[in-house]
Structure formats: C-alpha cells, structure tokens
Amino acid sequence: MLVECSEIPMSWLIDAQIMDQKTGYLSEKFNLWLGWPKKFSVRGLRNHLCSHYFGSKKLKETSRRLLFLWLAGWFICAIWIFWFMNSQAVEKRREMLASMCDERARMLQDQFNVSMNHLQALAILISTFHHAKEPSAIDQITFAQYAERTAFERPLTSGVAYAVKVRHSERELFEKQHGWRIKKMDLTEQPPVREEDADLESPEISPIQDEYAPVIFAQDAYKHVISVDLLTGKEDCENILRARESGKGVLTAPFPLLKSKRLGVILTYAVYKSELPSNATPVQRIKAAIGYLGGIFDVESLVDKLLHQLASKHSIVVNVHDTTDPDRPISMYGSTVTGTGIYHISTLHFGDPIRKHEMHCRFKQKAPLPWLALTTSIGTLVIALLVGYIFHATVSRIAKVEDDYRQMMVLKKQAEAADVAKSQFLATVSHEIRTPMNGVLGMLQMLMDTDLDMTQEDYVRTAHASGKALVSLINEVLDQAKIESGKLELEAVPFDLRAVLDDILSLLYGKAQEKGLELAVYVSDQIPEVVIGDHGRIRQIITNLIANSIKFTERGHIYLTVHLTEEVMSSLNIETEYHSANSLSAFPVADRRRSWENFKIFKKELPASDPSLVSTTSDLINLIISVEDTGVGIPYEAQSRVFTPFMQVRPSISRIHGGTGIGLSISKCLVGLMKGEIGFVSEPQIGSTFTFTVVLTRSSNNSNEYKSFEFHGLTSLVVDDRPVRAKVTKYHLQRLGINAIIEMYPNQVLNRITSGTVATNLMLIEHEIWLTNAGIWSFIMNKLKDDQLDIPKAILLANPATSSKKNSSSSLEFVSTIITKPLRASMLQVSLQRVMGCGDGEHSRNGRLPQLPLHSLLHGKQILVVDDNVVNLRVAAGALKKYGAEVTCADSGKIAIDMLKPPHRFDACFMDIQMPEIDGFEATRRIREMETDMNRKINSGEVPLNFLGNVIPQRVPILAMTADVIQATHEKCRKLEMDGYVTKPFEGEQLYRELTRAIVEMNDISSIKLYENSHMKRHVSCKIIWENFSHTWWGRIKCSSWSRIEMDYCRSNVVQ
Amino acid sequence: MELANLQRRYLDFTSPLFHEGILDNQFTQLQQLQDESNPEFVLEVVTLFFDDSEKLLNELTRTLDQQVVDFKKVDAHVHQFKGSSASIGAQRVKNVCMAFRNYCEEMDQEGCLTCLQQLKQEYFLVKNKLETLFKLEQQIVAAGGSIPMMW
C-alpha cells in the first residue's frame, strides 16, 4: 500500500509531463504547465488574467481548449491509475498464491519424502531381518504388527506389502514352503484392485514365468494380496523393474483405490541382497534384488490432511496432477473444474525422476473488485473535474465581469454624454427662452411708458412682474445646469460683506414687512471690512436662504449672523445666548449649533485658543453664516431631501409658496464651489436655521465707507431687554462710528445718562420697551430738562410687526424719530442725519418711478452703425433712430475707421463683426490704436485740448452686433476691446442695457452727471446705474461715492 | 366700403404670410419702426433687400457655375443674404440660407445648387408677396385709410 501511495503523486507528475508534451505545441504559453500542477494552474490563471486584455473571446476559446485538454488528460490519467493499481493488486495476489502454493507443495513433498524414507527403512529392515537371518526373523504377523505400529511414521501410506523375488526354478520349493500357489493378477483391472480382490473373486494361478514376485508380507488391511505375483500386474511389474534398476523409490501413476474410492499411488522399493555401491550398474542391481517393498499412498487423504494442518486452507483450491505424460495429466487430487482465475503451478518432487507431479493452486473466491484502485482513480478524476470546474467558473466569471465592465463603461459614457447633453440642452434652452423673454419684458417696459389707464397699467405691470419671475427662474435653471456641467466659475473681487448684507436686507425687507417679520443682520467685528470672493454668489445664497425663510415664516424673526468659524469654534461650549427664550423676537428657535455639527471644518480643525491670532496669520478666512427663522420648519421625514433639486416638502408647497425647489440645491452647489459646507437644523413649528461656511480671502485695502462720517465719536444708549436684539443695534451703530452702550432696564436709564462721564448723544429705544414703560420716559426727560442737561435724542426702533399698530402714546413728543427695522447702516445714517440735523430728509419713499428711459438715453446721441449688409444697416439705423438717436451709417470697416478717427462726434458705435476685408474686431483694434495714440498725444501736450472741443471721448464705446447669440459673450467682446454686444435684430432692453453699460463705463462720474442733468430725472439715472453696476465692485464704488442717500433710495426701490 | 374691403383683403393676405413662415416677427418690428418721421421705412428697406438680393443671387449663380467653385465666396454671399433676409424677417429665405451654408462648409456643389434653386424660389415668393402687400398698402393709403395691424 505504501508503495502505491507514494506512487500517486509521481504519476501526477508524469501525467503532467505527458500533458505538457501533448499541449506544448498548441501554444507557447502552455510552457508554464511544466512543473507542479498547483503551480502551473496558478500561473496559468495569472496568464489568463493578463491575457484578458487581449480580448475575452480569445480567452474563452483558449480556456475551453485548455479545459478540454485538462479533462481528457486527467481521464487518461485516472484510467492509468486504475490499471496500475489493479495490476499491482493482481500481482500481489499472484505472489501470495505462489507462496501459498509453494508452501503446500513443499510440505507435501516433505511428508512424502518422510514416508518414502520410512519405507526405505522398512525395506532395509526386511533385508536385515528376513533375508540376512536364517531362519527369517520376520513372519507375516510380525510384519503386519510392525507395519501397523509404525504407521504413524508414514502418514501418507495406507498400507505396505512385501514381495520376494522367486525364480521359476525356486517356485515349487517356495510354494511348498509357504503352502500356497503363486497367483496371478487380473489383467483387466488395475493391479491394486486386482490385488485386493484377487483371491476373493478369481484367484488364478500365476502362469509360468522366469521369475515371480509373490507378496509374502502385507499389512492386515491388505492381507488379501499375499501370494499374488506382482510381476503379473502391468503397473507393478513396471514399478518393480524400475525400482530394482534404480535402487530408489519408484511411483506408479495414480489410480483409484477400490476400497476408499480415492486416488492413490504405489511406491516400490527394491530390497537388495547385499549393500551395493552407490555407483552400481542397473545389471548389478537387478542381480542383487531379492525382494520388493511396496507402499500405497492415498494422495487425496494425504493432501487433505496436509491442508487441514495449514491455516487459510479454505482460501485456495489445490489440485495435484501427475504430469508424466504432459498431454494427459492425471488428476490426483482436487476437483477437475478449471477456473479462469489466476493459478499457480508448483512442481512436486517425490523422489522418482520419471514421474512428474505438479500442484495447481487457485483462489477459491474470485478476486474482489479492486476498490482501492477504483476509488483512487475516481477520486483523482473528481478532483481534476473540480479543478477544471473551478478553472472554468473562474474564466467565465472573469469573462462575465469583463463583459459587465465593458457594458458599464458604455453605459457610463452614455450617462455622461446624456448628462452633458442635458446640461447643454438646458443651457441652450434657457438662453433661447431668455432672449425672447427679454424682448417681451422690454416691450412691456415700453408699453408702460405709454399712456395707459389704471387697469391696463395693472395688467402690464403684472405681466412684467411675471416675466421677470420667469426670467429669474430660467436663470436659476441655467445656474444649476452650469454648475452641473462644471462651467460655473467664481469671481474673486474685493467687496464689503456688510454692505452686501445690507443690500440683501433692503431687497427683502419689503416682503418681510408684509408678513410682519423682524429682519436683522449681525456681522462679527472680527470680520474684515473688505474680503475677496464672489459676492454675487454669496448674495445669491443668502438671498435664497432668507427668501426661503420669509416664505415659510408667519411670525417672529429672521436673523442673519456672520462669524468667523474660529470664533464659533472657540465659543462652541460656552455659548449660551442662543437658547430659545433669548432669541431676537422671543419666539423659540432651533438650536443653531446643531446645524453645523456635521461640518467637517469643525471636526478636522482643532479649536484655536486665540481666534484673532488664527484669523490674522492666514490670508484665508472662514466665514460661518447662519440664517435663523421662526417658521414652520421642515418635517423630519423631508429633511433628508432638502438639498435635492426640484424636491419640495410637499407638492402643495409650490402652489402655496411658489418656487421651483431648486434654490437650496443651487445654494449647496455654490457653497461647495466656495469650499464651504451647508447644513441646517429644523424643528417643526419652531423654526429652521440654515448655516453655511465659505472660504474667502482677506483683502489688503481696508476701507470703511461709513465710519469716516459725521457721527464719529458720538455715544448712544441702546435700551433693549433682549441682548440679541441689542447686539444687532449696537453692531449697526458701531459701523457708523457711534459708541453704543446697552441698557436692559428702563429704570436704570437715567442713572446711566447722568452718571456717565461721556455725554450721551443718542438714545435708541425699542418700541416695545417704550410702550411698556410709557410713564418712565417723560419722567426721565423732564428730570434731564430740569437738571439742565443735554437731552439725548430719543429714537424709537420699531419692528414691522409692532409698527403697524401705531400707538398714539403721549410720550411720543420726546421722540425724535421712529426707525423701522430692519436696521441697515445707510438707512440708519440717513435717519440719524435727519435727527442730528445734518442731513436732507426730503425724500419720500412712495414716489413712483418713471419708466424705462431708452428713448431718453439715446435721444440726440451721435451713433455710428457699421455693417456691410445694407439691409441690416438700414434696419439697425431705423431702430436706433426710433429711439431718437442720430445715426450715421458706414458700410465697411474701413469707412468706420476713418469716421472714428479722433476727434469725432460719435457717442457710440455699433459694429457688425463679420464683414469683408476688415472685420469688426480688426476695425475695433485699429480704432483703439488710434485712440491710444491720441490720448498719448494729449497727455504729452502735442495736441491742445481745445482742439477736440468740449466732448472728450477718450474711448468711444463700440458695441458688437452679432446674430450669433450663443457664442457672443460679454467677456469675449471685452477681450477684443469692445464694450458689449447686441444681437441682431435689435431688442429694446438688450440695446438699452448694453448701451448704458458701455457709455457709463466709458465716462466717469461726470458722464453720469451728464445723463442725470440732461434727460433723466435724478432717481432714474440712479436706478439705471444701480441696476447695471451694483454687481460690480467699481460700480459700487462709483455709486457710493456719488450719493449715498440716492443709493439707499434706489436699493429700496429696485425691489418694488 | 371699398376701404373696409381693402383692409380685410390686406389682413387676409398678410396673416397666411406669417402662418406659412414666409415672414416673421422681425417684419412686424420693422413695420413698428416706421412712423411719421420715416413713413417709407419698410418700403425703403425691402427695396434695398430686393436690390441686394438680386445682386447676390446673380453672384451666386455665377460663382456656382464655374468649374472650380470658390466656396468661401459663396459662403460670404450666403452669409450676407442670410443677414439681410433675417433683418427684414424673410424667415424661409433665412432658413434656406442656413442650409446653404452647411452645404458650403461641406463643399457640396450639388447641394449648393439645389439650395440656390430653393433660395431663388423662396426669394421670388417673398418678393411677390411683399410687392402685393405694398400694392395693397398703397391702395389703402390712397383710399385714405390706415393700414390695419394684426399684432
């Protein structure tokens, strides 16, 4: 078994090598198959993994072939294993049989030899005691007794008899001596049979012969053979003759014994008269022979006995044959049935060289099925199949994964393409919608200019407002599309955050006022005046959030706060002022800290020990901006999809409040673009707080537009019982340079005023406080008056909710003015100016604005229109003339250049871009060259100023006319030194917008003044400038430097 | 009575022009630009358009007949044609011009020739219509009426 086991792996190896040889020519890759099976399978796999880049089809085919070879190889291998192990088993069985057979044969031989030897000894005994003694010492009885008693020594002999040699001459004497005649054997039968039955049935007298061999002694069992002449029996005669010639024991052929019906043989020994030399000739031997001893061997019982002695006698069948005549073997023992199974032949040597005997052994049972070989080979096959299956599964899995991957890639590409296409489509569609919408709005605007009755005007106004809403919606969609397609780029311009927030408040306070909401802003003093970033986008986000809050808030307040993140972080644990009861409007609010608890910025950065230090060391500042409201809140189940585009809490929301639900999504995107995060906390029926962070850059120039004003150094007392609200007021006062002291209790006010070292100039009192403590104020005032002290100017701060129910309190006589919140620096400034007597309070808030002044803007202006297409030229000229402009036409770039050679009289130029010879861009370039040349000359004094007349256009505005709406952009035109573009055919509003932008941009404040004085009312020009330039930094600067009061006025009116 | 008839005929004539896309809003705007200070504005512009167009069509026919077609030149002409047709609101002419320019880009002479045929067809169609329109307008004005506005 051990041998077999150790051979199995060997056979694998051999098999593998065979397989290698088989498959080697198929592909060189298969060379890897050399060596240990495990190794090559792994390598093969890796090889296939590599090859999968070449294509899964090829891989599949190769792997299938490989698999087939593998299986076939292992099938052959299994058969071989079976054959090998089976042959081993058979061989072993054969060996076992041989050894068993040989053992039996040897034993049989030994016992036979023992018997033979004894017979020989008996022969010698007879020769000694019968022949050598005179008279004989042995008679029949003695012999029979002796033979009987020594039978155990001859286990194989069933009987012995002794015959003497009697010559014919001695016959009579012999017969007389013994008293019987020499009888003859029956020839027809076998001699022994006849021996047994001779004297019983036909005791014939032996015929006369030369000599006789009558039996004189026999064992009792064979007494009947006494007196029978053995030489008359054929076999016996032959035996005797051979025995006396050879001097050795001689065997007869086997014959059936009558008595026992079994086969037997007779062994004959010759007894010699004298001791013969070992080399005596046969003749000598014949002469010397005097008698013959015969022994009957019962072979069957003999072998039976023998086999009984041996273990496992049942496992094999033993046959003994006499094969003296090889053609006719005589069976001596055992069944004659010849099986087909394996057998073994052992030669038996019974001492007679003439007689040949063989022992045939055969297993009784058929060989058992070779289970081991069977299981081993089947096991091997199963393992091979499993390995093959694994391989197959792996390959198909790889192929599948690869297919999937390819499919995914295709799908991914499709999805991306679809996404891009969608965004493109949105952008295009939005643009395409915007263009006609602008037309609609422009026309409506113009329609409003005409004489309309009240109803008509109302209709037109509504249509205009709806159009505006639609455009803003489209803009939002466009924004979203732009952000999604990654085309949105942020500006980085310096701006005053506080002013931006004031603007937002101005824009939205109307709506808040309608709903009676208190709107407040607070900016931490840690934040620098001017920061760099995209204020437009910040404005968009905040506007969005506040507008949202206004939409969903019915009572209470909306409170916008801006801090540095470092500030918030450091106060994270100690901040207690935001607990619900202490809110701006005393309504409970959601805990704002929870709105930013998921912000990464708070997680990754360690809280700074000194916020100011952190914020000053880096150029980047992190702002955290919160919008807190006391609205209906967002239901918990809807909170997860707040930032999903077009997702609203309920579909009905859009019906009640309007909007697309895209605003917050855009805000989130924008915040993300500004490297910030947005989050919110919302509790239904309590309110929501949205918080976002943005990263902005610190600006180097730190100019405060308000602080340098006339209120610097004043001291004010803010009387308010709510610290948060007082903080807001204080913040605004401080922006104007006013020192603010907060007093929470009205009854302490007098004490404050009188005890302070510095005189209190102003007293800002919350309207609520004023009302609840009405009596105390007159007391304070009178007291102060009595004490001959400066009475501070009392200003009531009313919030929209309370201001509506005007309380005609008697003490109002002490009040200088009432300021309606929300507080904004500019508005506060105006009010204070009025109170302090240094401002002009002539403005009314309710004046209706005169409408679109395109006509007035263009009226009397000298405009050059350049187009090579005469039809276009005529149409453009017609359109501009319609607006009152004086139009000059030029039909080529060259003429235009000539006409615009400074000095010239034109206020603006409209130029077609695509023209033969000199196109619009080229013409512009040349005109700009001429202008710079002229400016240089003027500056160097080469050309006297008065030569140019009173109008000094250093740079004539050139606007491109193009039919290509999509490609034309302001930026592109600016890059090519043009000042804007208008689409062909002209649209009123666009024309107006571009022209205004171009003209105003060209000329400085003086030109604004020019418009102001010439054709438009002051407010209108102000509005134009505000509308067009408030989004640019320089526009803001210009506007603010021009007239703060006007600006404030405009801001509040633009909204309406 | 005759005036009312004329005015109705005018409307009956003009509205299909817009429906069939022969003219578009630009023409309307053009008409709006016409006022007392500039009473013949539309006629003036349209006449300019006719002159210009016929010149361009001749040029195009000539250029495209040549052995080696100068597609750049053709494109320039078509561009001009497109511009002027857009200016007067001849929408279908403009559309053919756009297709024409595509063929120019592909340098497809056969396509260009087909387009030219189409262009001529459309041009003469719009020319006929406009001439009829002006005739009607003149008749209305001569009858002392005002031109009815349908927008």
Side-chain angles (χ1 to χ4, degrees):
Chain A
M1 223 37 236
L2 242 155
V3 177
E4 276 173 0
C5 282
S6 66
E7 265 181 10
I8 288 169
M10 281 299 286
S11 71
W12 283 31
L13 189 65
I14 291 159
D15 189 62
Q17 278 166 346
I18 290 164
M19 278 182 78
D20 177 48
Q21 281 165 1
K22 272 187 201 163
T23 57
Y25 63 89
L26 284 173
S27 162
E28 285 190 4
K29 273 189 270 174
F30 295 29
N31 288 339
L32 290 164
W33 282 64
L34 268 167
W36 199 241
K38 205 174 161 189
K39 196 175 161 191
F40 69 62
S41 66
V42 167
R43 278 223 205 145
L45 198 67
R46 195 186 304 150
N47 190 29
H48 280 277
L49 280 169
C50 292
S51 75
H52 88 114
Y53 294 107
F54 302 123
S56 66
K57 216 169 185 181
K58 195 180 162 193
L59 167 76
K60 250 182 179 170
E61 202 184 314
T62 314
S63 73
R64 198 167 295 159
R65 260 158 75 191
L66 214 60
L67 192 68
F68 176 75
L69 284 169
W70 168 267
L71 290 180
W74 277 104
F75 187 71
I76 292 163
C77 174
I79 289 173
W80 185 84
I81 288 170
F82 175 73
W83 173 80
F84 179 79
M85 289 183 68
N86 195 31
S87 65
Q88 291 269 320
V90 168
E91 189 59 35
K92 187 173 171 254
R93 201 170 153 83
R94 195 188 300 280
E95 271 169 24
M96 198 166 77
L97 185 68
S99 70
M100 278 166 83
C101 205
D102 285 344
E103 189 190 3
R104 276 156 184 73
R106 204 176 60 245
M107 280 178 70
L108 188 64
Q109 205 171 303
D110 287 350
Q111 295 210 356
F112 199 87
N113 285 344
V114 168
S115 302
M116 264 172 54
N117 288 345
H118 201 263
L119 274 182
Q120 203 168 3
L122 199 64
I124 291 161
L125 182 93
I126 288 168
S127 87
T128 312
F129 292 100
H130 182 65
H131 293 289
K133 295 269 182 187
E134 202 60 43
S136 166
I138 303 170
D139 58 0
Q140 162 60 25
I141 296 154
T142 323
F143 182 83
Q145 272 182 354
Y146 180 79
E148 201 66 53
R149 287 168 68 181
T150 57
F152 71 91
E153 296 229 52
R154 313 180 294 274
L156 304 184
T157 53
S158 54
V160 288
Y162 181 66
V164 288
K165 183 179 172 183
V166 179
R167 289 183 191 282
H168 185 64
S169 52
E170 300 160 348
R171 177 170 174 174
E172 279 180 48
L173 180 71
F174 181 80
E175 282 177 344
K176 234 189 264 166
Q177 254 176 0
H178 286 276
W180 38 259
R181 304 287 307 269
I182 299 170
K183 291 175 199 121
K184 169 183 155 240
M185 263 190 230
D186 191 357
L187 288 172
T188 53
E189 293 182 41
Q190 284 290 342
V193 176
R194 216 189 49 75
E195 265 177 55
E196 288 170 8
D197 304 333
D199 51 349
L200 293 172
E201 290 178 17
S202 55
E204 276 177 63
I205 309 298
S206 167
I208 298 156
Q209 280 178 346
D210 274 356
E211 53 179 337
Y212 308 94
V215 175
I216 52 169
F217 305 132
Q219 233 176 311
D220 283 346
Y222 294 94
K223 242 179 185 168
H224 56 275
V225 297
I226 292 172
S227 83
V228 174
D229 179 9
L230 292 180
L231 285 176
T232 53
K234 187 176 160 258
E235 294 276 335
D236 296 76
C237 175
E238 206 177 295
N239 245 19
I240 288 163
L241 292 179
R242 277 202 299 127
R244 72 182 183 198
E245 263 174 43
S246 63
K248 289 174 180 168
V250 170
L251 289 169
T252 62
F255 55 91
L257 296 176
L258 188 77
K259 214 173 170 187
S260 57
K261 301 285 181 211
R262 292 196 246 188
L263 282 177
V265 287
I266 292 174
L267 177 72
T268 311
Y269 264 108
V271 178
Y272 298 100
K273 197 165 37 185
S274 58
E275 193 92 3
L276 281 172
S278 59
N279 56 355
T281 59
V283 182
Q284 285 175 318
R285 289 181 194 274
I286 292 167
K287 268 188 181 168
I290 50 167
Y292 320 103
L293 185 76
I296 298 168
F297 284 83
D298 183 349
V299 181
E300 267 186 286
S301 62
L302 183 83
V303 178
D304 262 351
K305 246 187 258 166
L306 178 76
L307 295 182
H308 270 297
Q309 290 169 15
L310 286 166
S312 69
K313 60 173 174 153
H314 297 297
S315 60
I316 57 170
V317 177
V318 177
N319 281 349
V320 182
H321 296 279
D322 182 323
T323 53
T324 314
D325 183 355
D327 297 332
R328 281 190 298 112
I330 303 155
S331 172
M332 287 166 75
Y333 175 78
S335 62
T336 49
V337 187
T338 48
T340 47
I342 51 162
Y343 65 96
H344 184 77
I345 300 169
S346 304
T347 345
L348 295 168
H349 293 288
F350 291 145
D352 184 350
I354 289 167
R355 293 258 157 226
K356 290 194 169 64
H357 297 88
E358 282 177 353
M359 181 181 266
H360 290 200
C361 300
R362 176 174 281 120
F363 281 105
K364 252 182 199 165
Q365 267 91 30
K366 270 194 163 176
L369 277 173
W371 286 115
L372 183 73
L374 217 56
T375 47
T376 309
S377 61
I378 287 173
T380 313
L381 198 61
V382 164
I383 290 167
L385 280 173
L386 284 174
V387 169
Y389 175 75
I390 290 166
F391 175 70
H392 174 73
T394 310
V395 168
S396 33
R397 180 96 190 124
I398 290 168
K400 192 179 173 302
V401 166
E402 208 179 317
D403 277 356
D404 285 357
Y405 170 75
R406 213 167 288 133
Q407 219 171 332
M408 294 297 184
M409 285 308 283
V410 172
L411 288 175
K412 185 177 167 254
K413 265 179 204 150
Q414 280 177 358
E416 279 169 356
D419 198 45
V420 168
K422 188 203 81 179
S423 300
Q424 197 82 46
F425 172 76
L426 269 176
T428 314
V429 165
S430 306
H431 199 107
E432 291 302 307
I433 296 170
R434 231 163 17 153
T435 314
M437 272 315 290
N438 282 335
V440 171
L441 290 175
M443 289 300 140
L444 286 170
Q445 193 80 275
M446 283 164 80
L447 189 56
M448 280 193 268
D449 284 347
T450 58
D451 259 343
L452 297 170
D453 65 31
M454 286 296 282
T455 328
Q456 284 171 331
E457 196 178 320
D458 184 46
Y459 291 166
V460 173
R461 207 171 279 284
T462 313
H464 192 250
S466 310
K468 278 231 147 119
L470 181 56
V471 170
S472 70
L473 172 61
I474 291 164
N475 286 344
E476 280 185 351
V477 173
L478 189 59
D479 266 352
Q480 176 84 10
K482 261 189 184 168
I483 293 166
E484 273 177 16
S485 56
K487 279 182 190 153
L488 192 87
E489 282 176 14
L490 294 174
E491 285 181 30
V493 291
F495 68 98
D496 182 351
L497 183 70
R498 290 173 176 82
V500 167
L501 298 181
D502 276 358
D503 289 346
I504 294 169
L505 245 55
S506 307
L507 278 168
L508 295 168
Y509 99 97
K511 281 184 199 165
Q513 203 170 22
E514 278 170 31
K515 297 182 104 174
L517 303 174
E518 187 166 353
L519 202 56
V521 63
Y522 172 76
V523 180
S524 157
D525 54 7
Q526 301 255 356
I527 293 167
E529 295 293 335
V530 179
V531 288
I532 297 172
D534 192 333
H535 60 93
R537 295 301 174 183
I538 292 176
R539 177 198 298 265
Q540 191 178 351
I541 298 165
I542 297 172
T543 308
N544 204 331
L545 292 177
I546 295 182
N548 239 1
S549 288
I550 293 174
K551 244 186 234 174
F552 294 103
T553 307
E554 300 303 327
R555 83 260 181 299
H557 69 269
I558 290 150
Y559 183 29
L560 171 67
T561 53
V562 184
H563 291 273
L564 289 178
T565 45
E566 289 85 357
E567 249 182 295
V568 174
M569 275 193 286
S570 61
S571 64
L572 214 53
N573 299 321
I574 53 164
E575 190 163 357
T576 50
E577 64 176 296
Y578 291 125
H579 68 80
S580 300
N582 196 9
S583 77
L584 195 72
S585 62
F587 282 104
V589 291
D591 183 3
R592 67 169 58 191
R593 273 169 294 175
R594 272 171 48 213
S595 67
W596 61 67
E597 64 191 1
N598 287 324
F599 284 9
K600 280 179 208 136
I601 188 163
F602 293 112
K603 285 174 184 165
K604 71 179 177 207
E605 281 179 28
L606 288 168
S609 51
D610 183 3
S612 57
L613 189 78
V614 172
S615 56
T616 48
T617 48
S618 140
D619 254 2
L620 295 176
I621 47 173
N622 291 304
L623 297 188
I624 182 158
I625 301 168
S626 282
V627 176
E628 173 191 279
D629 70 46
T630 54
V632 291
I634 302 163
Y636 291 118
E637 67 271 14
Q639 290 193 358
S640 60
R641 36 174 221 267
V642 158
F643 294 113
T644 316
F646 303 109
M647 195 62 83
Q648 290 177 326
V649 173
R650 281 183 304 277
S652 60
I653 291 284
S654 59
R655 285 201 293 276
I656 300 166
H657 302 285
T660 48
I662 203 172
L664 283 174
S665 156
I666 293 173
S667 300
K668 188 182 168 84
C669 294
L670 291 175
V671 168
L673 284 174
M674 288 189 246
K675 301 186 198 75
E677 290 161 283
I678 188 164
F680 70 97
V681 60
S682 183
E683 283 175 44
Q685 305 313 323
I686 287 178
S688 315
T689 301
F690 279 80
T691 301
F692 67 97
T693 61
V694 286
V695 181
L696 299 175
T697 319
R698 206 176 280 279
S699 175
S700 49
N701 58 330
N702 223 351
S703 72
N704 186 345
E705 52 174 308
Y706 298 109
K707 264 186 181 165
S708 56
F709 248 77
E710 63 263 50
F711 307 113
H712 207 88
L714 296 184
T715 303
S716 65
L717 185 70
V718 177
V719 186
D720 194 342
D721 58 351
R722 287 194 214 134
V724 180
R725 198 162 54 182
K727 198 169 90 174
V728 173
T729 314
K730 185 178 173 182
Y731 152 70
H732 286 291
L733 288 170
Q734 278 175 343
R735 285 174 69 192
L736 294 173
I738 300 169
N739 184 26
I741 300 159
I742 296 171
E743 178 51 63
M744 284 181 72
Y745 307 102
N747 46 15
Q748 296 291 317
V749 170
L750 184 62
N751 193 24
R752 280 268 187 191
I753 295 171
T754 50
S755 67
T757 50
V758 190
T760 306
N761 313 90
L762 287 166
M763 198 158 64
L764 287 97
I765 307 153
E766 270 299 317
H767 197 213
E768 276 171 46
I769 309 276
W770 180 269
L771 294 180
T772 47
N773 303 283
I776 200 166
W777 301 111
S778 50
F779 168 72
I780 293 170
M781 293 303 173
N782 290 328
K783 177 91 173 103
L784 287 174
K785 211 183 270 174
D786 293 347
D787 294 358
Q788 303 281 309
L789 287 167
D790 283 342
I791 302 171
K793 305 268 185 191
I795 298 168
L796 284 194
L797 298 174
N799 79 55
T802 52
S803 63
S804 53
K805 33 180 180 171
K806 282 261 158 100
N807 199 327
S808 54
S809 168
S810 58
S811 35
L812 270 179
E813 58 189 279
F814 303 107
V815 177
S816 305
T817 187
I818 297 177
I819 298 179
T820 309
K821 290 186 197 175
L823 293 178
R824 283 151 290 155
S826 53
M827 181 263 265
L828 193 61
Q829 187 181 15
V830 173
S831 303
L832 292 181
Q833 275 171 346
R834 201 180 299 153
V835 170
M836 306 303 280
C838 53
D840 49 348
E842 64 188 20
H843 307 290
S844 144
R845 282 173 191 275
N846 300 318
R848 220 193 99 207
L849 277 179
Q851 295 304 323
L852 182 80
L854 183 56
H855 197 273
S856 24
L857 181 71
L858 281 171
H859 188 80
K861 289 278 170 293
Q862 290 288 344
I863 289 174
L864 179 67
V865 182
V866 190
D867 197 330
D868 64 309
N869 189 327
V870 282
V871 181
N872 287 354
L873 194 60
R874 196 72 192 82
V875 173
L880 290 168
K881 271 181 192 164
K882 170 93 175 158
Y883 294 118
E886 310 239 331
V887 183
T888 311
C889 293
D891 61 0
S892 79
K894 212 171 164 188
I895 297 171
I897 293 166
D898 285 344
M899 292 179 99
L900 285 172
K901 196 174 209 159
H904 57 75
R905 60 195 162 89
F906 295 106
D907 295 300
C909 171
F910 285 78
M911 180 138 18
D912 187 30
I913 289 173
Q914 215 170 5
M915 286 189 293
E917 291 174 52
I918 298 171
D919 70 5
F921 293 135
E922 175 62 19
T924 310
R925 198 182 58 75
R926 295 202 193 167
I927 291 162
R928 294 295 179 232
E929 269 176 18
M930 291 191 303
E931 283 171 348
T932 27
D933 194 40
M934 181 55 78
N935 286 343
R936 193 179 48 76
K937 280 181 184 169
I938 292 167
N939 288 343
S940 61
E942 281 177 48
V943 181
L945 265 175
N946 56 6
F947 173 73
L948 299 164
N950 52 353
V951 184
I952 312 162
Q954 294 175 324
R955 193 172 184 271
V956 70
I958 300 177
L959 289 109
M961 291 194 291
T962 172
D964 195 345
V965 192
I966 294 161
Q967 282 187 5
T969 59
H970 189 66
E971 286 73 28
K972 193 175 167 190
C973 290
R974 287 299 292 264
K975 205 161 72 189
L976 293 157
E977 294 203 90
M978 286 183 152
D979 301 292
Y981 74 98
V982 289
T983 52
K984 283 193 295 191
F986 287 165
E987 288 161 19
E989 186 150 311
Q990 194 193 15
L991 185 65
Y992 159 74
R993 190 176 63 227
E994 290 294 326
L995 201 58
T996 324
R997 194 214 300 270
I999 292 172
V1000 176
E1001 206 169 307
M1002 272 318 94
N1003 309 299
D1004 218 337
I1005 302 156
S1006 58
S1007 67
I1008 295 174
K1009 289 278 185 198
L1010 199 73
Y1011 292 109
E1012 187 183 15
N1013 299 331
S1014 57
H1015 307 292
M1016 287 172 276
K1017 279 191 182 172
R1018 203 174 153 83
H1019 297 152
V1020 178
S1021 59
C1022 185
K1023 180 171 182 258
I1024 295 165
I1025 294 156
W1026 171 250
E1027 277 185 342
N1028 288 285
F1029 310 113
S1030 59
H1031 65 279
T1032 61
W1033 170 239
W1034 62 265
R1036 277 200 56 76
I1037 297 283
K1038 275 178 189 173
C1039 291
S1040 62
S1041 64
W1042 175 43
S1043 166
R1044 215 167 306 285
I1045 302 153
E1046 290 285 355
M1047 285 318 295
D1048 189 51
Y1049 177 81
C1050 284
R1051 278 178 203 137
S1052 33
N1053 281 291
V1054 162
V1055 203
Q1056 288 170 357
Chain B
M1 207 53 222
E2 205 197 341
L3 182 64
N5 231 351
L6 274 171
Q7 284 174 334
R8 210 186 60 236
R9 259 179 68 199
Y10 179 82
L11 282 178
D12 286 348
F13 181 75
T14 44
S15 63
L17 292 182
F18 290 94
H19 283 302
E20 287 162 21
I22 295 171
L23 294 177
D24 65 13
N25 285 337
Q26 183 57 30
F27 187 74
T28 324
Q29 290 198 6
L30 217 57
Q31 284 180 319
Q32 282 174 346
L33 290 177
Q34 183 168 294
D35 54 19
E36 301 79 35
S37 64
N38 203 354
E40 295 286 297
F41 180 68
V42 178
L43 186 62
E44 209 178 304
V45 171
V46 171
T47 315
L48 265 173
F49 171 66
F50 289 161
D51 292 350
D52 195 42
S53 300
E54 259 145 65
K55 230 186 314 174
L56 284 169
L57 281 174
N58 285 339
E59 277 287 311
L60 279 171
T61 318
R62 215 160 46 86
T63 319
L64 279 170
D65 272 350
Q66 269 159 10
Q67 209 74 32
V68 184
V69 180
D70 184 354
F71 281 103
K72 255 191 188 161
K73 206 168 161 191
V74 175
D75 189 61
H77 289 322
V78 179
H79 174 66
Q80 180 138 13
F81 208 159
K82 184 187 150 203
S84 44
S85 55
S87 275
I88 70 140
Q91 195 179 359
R92 272 159 63 165
V93 175
K94 189 186 83 183
N95 290 346
V96 176
C97 284
M98 280 156 85
F100 204 150
R101 290 194 74 184
N102 283 341
Y103 282 116
C104 277
E105 251 170 61
E106 291 163 22
M107 305 236 186
D108 182 350
Q109 192 172 359
E110 213 153 291
C112 285
L113 283 169
T114 321
C115 272
L116 184 61
Q117 284 314 312
Q118 263 182 341
L119 198 59
K120 281 179 176 169
Q121 215 173 315
E122 291 293 342
Y123 167 67
F124 286 116
L125 179 72
V126 78
K127 187 180 176 187
N128 265 330
K129 298 279 182 190
L130 285 171
E131 277 170 349
T132 318
L133 195 75
F134 288 135
K135 229 171 264 172
L136 272 169
E137 278 185 7
Q138 276 170 359
Q139 282 174 359
I140 292 169
V141 173
S146 64
I147 293 150
M149 301 297 261
M150 53 170 295
W151 34 85

